[in-house]
Amino acid sequence: RIRTAAMPAWRDAGINYIRYSALCAKVVRHCLKPELQREAMKREGSTVKAFLWKDGKPSEVPRKVVQA
Amino acid sequence: QDRGLATLKDISIRLKSVKNIQKITKSMKLISATKFNRAEKELRAARAYGLGTKEFFDKADIPKPEQPKGHLLLGITSDRGLCGAANSSISKAIKVYLEGEGKGKEVKVVAIGDKARAQLKRLYGSYILMHFKDIGKKPPSFADASYIAQEIANSGFQFDTADIFYNSFKSVVSYKTSVQPLYSQDLVSQASKLSLYDSVDPDTLTAYNEFALASLIFFCLKEGAASEQSARMTAMDSASKNAGEMINKLTLTYNRTRQAVITRELIEIISGAAAV
């Protein structure tokens, strides 16, 4: 199968595009000037918790957050 | 005489409690009005994400399979109630689908928000793949949406198509429960109009599909948040109005009863004095 472009390094490393772009955004946020950084840092981090279900019952413990 | 006084006290207790409830609903309306303004402002910025992705899926002419191998339903609600029919309409739409089109197909449900979980767990618990909590306290961010997308991608459930049920924000007084379809990697690469777009090698498509999942979830979360706050505003407003009407009626009854008690006492005193 001919690939027109080589597989990106991040995909080879095992992360998907969502994680990759979140990491890039985090780096950019940390590079901002302090006045602009304050507003941007509010957008970082997520409070959402996920619970997987098995056989119609939810798990007691939320999934560990693997965030950028 | 005793019965008259007891009713008077009951009415005054009831009047006080309804007045307190009216204060609470009025303040809840103000709070959700401020949250709504913020949500609407953020929605205007977020619309670009969703509409751009929607355009691609609409124009690419993706074939809809008759028997999709795996279908995922996402219901976007909030953790908090008192917002009118906003949350229950999502659960209702999911139930209607599960009873109708979804019967016999391999369907799984992702409940975003406690309300969806609570309303679906009793009869449709076996369909639920995972649920998400702590939505609705803070305005949704792209980080939230990408976390949700990550968990769905890592869940191991293979789905060909997906539907996001969310409340699309129309105006301050109206929202519409809508469906946003999503497609898997394989279906997108079979799209007939794909040649219209250039530089679509498989890697770009995979990356774009993952990004599309996150940005569509983000778009639906934002729309849902704005609809929820506007619905709560309307609900608290009508609750305050109803409480106001109740207060008026109770005040009239209270005055009438008070006058009746006084009249009865006067009659008893006069007839008692006449007997002595």
Side-chain angles (χ1 to χ4, degrees), chain A residues 42 45 47, chain B residues 35 38-39 42 135-142 144 218 221-222 225 229:
Chain A
K42 292 186 198 158
T47 50
Chain B
K35 288 200 175 160
R38 184 167 172 199
E42 291 179 1
I135 308 262
K137 264 191 239 170
K138 284 168 54 183
S141 64
F142 198 82
D144 293 335
F218 175 63
L221 278 174
K222 281 289 187 203
Q229 296 299 346

Side-chain angles (χ1 to χ4, degrees), chain B residues 19 26 46 52 59 68 75 81 91 94 96 98 100 122-123 154 162 169 179 182 194 204 216 236 243 258 274-275:
Chain B
K19 279 192 180 146
K26 271 195 179 148
K59 292 275 170 11
S91 313
I94 292 183
V96 163
L98 287 177
R122 221 160 40 100
L123 292 174
N154 296 341
F169 176 72
V179 187
L182 285 170
L194 202 57
T204 320
L216 279 177
M236 290 296 104
R258 191 176 48 87

